[in-house]
Amino acid sequence: MDALVDSYQSDVNWLKRGLASGIPIALGYMPVALTFGLISGATGLTVIEAVFMSMIVFAGAAQYMALSMIALGSTAVEIIFATFIVNFRHLLMSASIHEGAETSTLRKRVFYGFFLTDEVFAVASTSNRPIRSQYIIGVGLVAYSSWVCFTGVGYFAGAFLPEIIQESMAIALYALFIALLVPSVKTQGKVVIRLALLGAIFNAIFQVWLSTGWSIMAATITAVVMYEALEQWMKKEATS
Amino acid sequence: MSMTLFWMIVGMGVVTYIPRLLPLIALQTENWPSWSKRMLSRVPYAVLGALIFPGILYIHDALWFGVVGGVVALVLSSIGAPLIIVVGGSITFLAIIQFIM
């Protein structure tokens, strides 16, 4: 009985921690969602359609792309296919989360899988291992609420933030990513810096030919594989 | 809402959800070789690098804008500031700079 109460307590604690860690993402999503709402209106969507899209899809880049494709007169099938292409990279992130997460029920995984955007993945995957399901759910819920709510707000009042604040808020998600990297550098050392640099360099190169989603995925795979290969090669050199 | 748009949004949702969900329900990584697990555990750092660069350069017409924001974030997180302070601080700093200039 005590064990049961303890596990419930720890679930609640991890959920709370997750909710707190989600706040920087919520802040970062705010200008992006406000703008999405605003452009939705300009593209001719109703507020219900715009909010419905944010509720069901929950993927920034793909939703922006859908708007521009709607404006260009693309068909629904084309837009769905393009969405698939842009969001396919999450397969890799989901696999990485799966490797680092605690064992949990199917129902929890089905639930938190929905929330795995780039940002939720980044926050969750840099948390202590094993990553708790409740933690991912907490982060996801806050990020999701911000995304959906500010889509609606933006539809009516996207321009209410002064331009200076709107422009400055564009740094939010990048500041978040940096803030996630730095503590990992402190705990795990140079491997983090090297991997991040490889990811950044390859992404800059691949973006010349590839769309953002594919480029991030290709850069990640190349960086991780190259790091592993270099490490094995150096080990061999050291022993021979 | 038109039916076409409704089904389009549902379709977008489904194709977004599948890649997020599939590894969580279909992968059994327990018996995978250690190198593949090692590579998966390194994915977050490579992703973070790719998410930051070069995107951070393009948040504003002027390239230095993102760079300055990035440096502020780097300094704040190096001294151990919590996430929300790093994010809020970077925004505030850029807003002040823009206000002055």
Side-chain angles (χ1 to χ4, degrees):
Chain A
M1 187 63 199
D2 274 358
L4 204 67
V5 173
D6 278 354
S7 109
Y8 174 75
Q9 279 295 343
S10 119
D11 273 1
V12 171
N13 273 332
W14 280 105
L15 183 67
K16 278 187 192 159
R17 283 200 219 183
L19 293 171
S21 303
I23 294 173
I25 305 182
L27 194 60
Y29 279 177
M30 188 179 141
V32 189
L34 285 172
T35 316
F36 175 75
L38 186 73
I39 303 177
S40 300
T43 312
L45 269 66
T46 65
V47 64
I48 294 175
E49 290 162 347
V51 172
F52 183 66
M53 194 191 284
S54 284
M55 284 173 74
I56 300 292
V57 184
F58 190 34
Q63 289 181 225
Y64 273 101
M65 193 184 58
L67 290 185
S68 63
M69 288 181 80
I70 290 172
L72 290 171
S74 307
T75 64
V77 173
E78 285 172 327
I79 294 173
I80 293 170
F81 185 71
T83 304
F84 178 69
I85 299 288
V86 169
N87 289 333
F88 192 70
R89 67 179 183 285
H90 293 135
L91 193 79
L92 195 64
M93 304 187 194
S94 175
S96 175
I97 282 279
H98 186 54
E99 169 58 24
E102 64 174 353
T103 337
S104 66
T105 60
L106 180 66
R107 201 197 302 182
K108 279 184 188 164
R109 282 175 283 154
V110 166
F111 187 49
Y112 73 64
F114 178 77
F115 296 121
L116 289 182
T117 60
D118 295 345
E119 294 76 18
V120 172
F121 164 77
V123 169
S125 66
T126 46
S127 113
N128 293 334
R129 309 271 159 144
I131 308 161
R132 312 298 164 119
S133 309
Q134 299 298 332
Y135 183 78
I136 309 174
I137 292 170
V139 175
L141 280 175
V142 172
Y144 181 71
S145 310
S146 164
W147 183 248
V148 173
C149 292
F150 286 115
T151 299
V153 174
Y155 191 91
F156 296 111
F160 84 103
L161 280 178
E163 199 175 333
I164 285 184
I165 301 291
Q166 271 194 51
E167 288 188 352
S168 305
M169 283 191 87
I171 195 70
L173 292 176
Y174 295 99
L176 171 66
F177 296 144
I178 291 169
L180 291 171
L181 263 183
V182 172
S184 308
V185 173
K186 284 181 182 166
T187 55
Q188 297 176 61
K190 285 192 181 135
V191 51
V192 174
I193 302 181
R194 288 178 185 148
L195 282 164
L197 279 178
L198 285 174
I201 293 166
F202 285 123
N203 188 37
I205 297 170
F206 292 153
Q207 278 200 356
V208 177
W209 303 283
L210 301 174
S211 65
T212 315
W214 283 107
S215 175
I216 289 174
M217 186 160 168
T220 304
I221 295 173
T222 316
V224 169
V225 170
M226 184 178 259
Y227 188 90
E228 177 71 18
L230 280 175
E231 200 181 50
Q232 295 302 329
W233 182 71
M234 305 239 286
K235 259 187 208 160
K236 245 182 218 163
E237 285 289 292
T239 50
S240 66
Chain B
M1 192 182 317
S2 83
M3 272 299 115
T4 319
L5 196 63
F6 174 83
W7 287 113
M8 184 196 89
I9 292 172
V10 170
M12 287 174 69
V14 171
V15 298
T16 301
Y17 187 36
I18 289 172
R20 287 177 183 173
L21 179 67
L22 210 56
L24 296 177
I25 56 170
L27 282 188
Q28 296 291 341
T29 52
E30 289 81 18
N31 300 318
W32 283 22
S34 63
W35 57 264
S36 66
K37 290 188 179 185
R38 202 162 50 229
M39 281 162 80
L40 279 180
S41 70
R42 285 173 181 159
V43 161
Y45 309 116
V47 167
L48 280 170
L51 286 174
I52 295 169
F53 189 83
I56 194 167
L57 299 177
Y58 307 131
I59 63 166
H60 195 268
D61 296 334
L63 291 186
W64 62 264
F65 195 74
V67 176
V68 169
V71 170
V72 175
L74 197 61
V75 170
L76 286 175
S77 47
S78 299
I79 58 173
L83 284 184
I84 192 73
I85 303 292
V86 177
V87 173
S90 309
I91 296 172
T92 313
F93 190 85
L94 288 184
I96 293 171
I97 287 192
Q98 274 192 305
F99 187 71
I100 295 171
M101 289 176 57

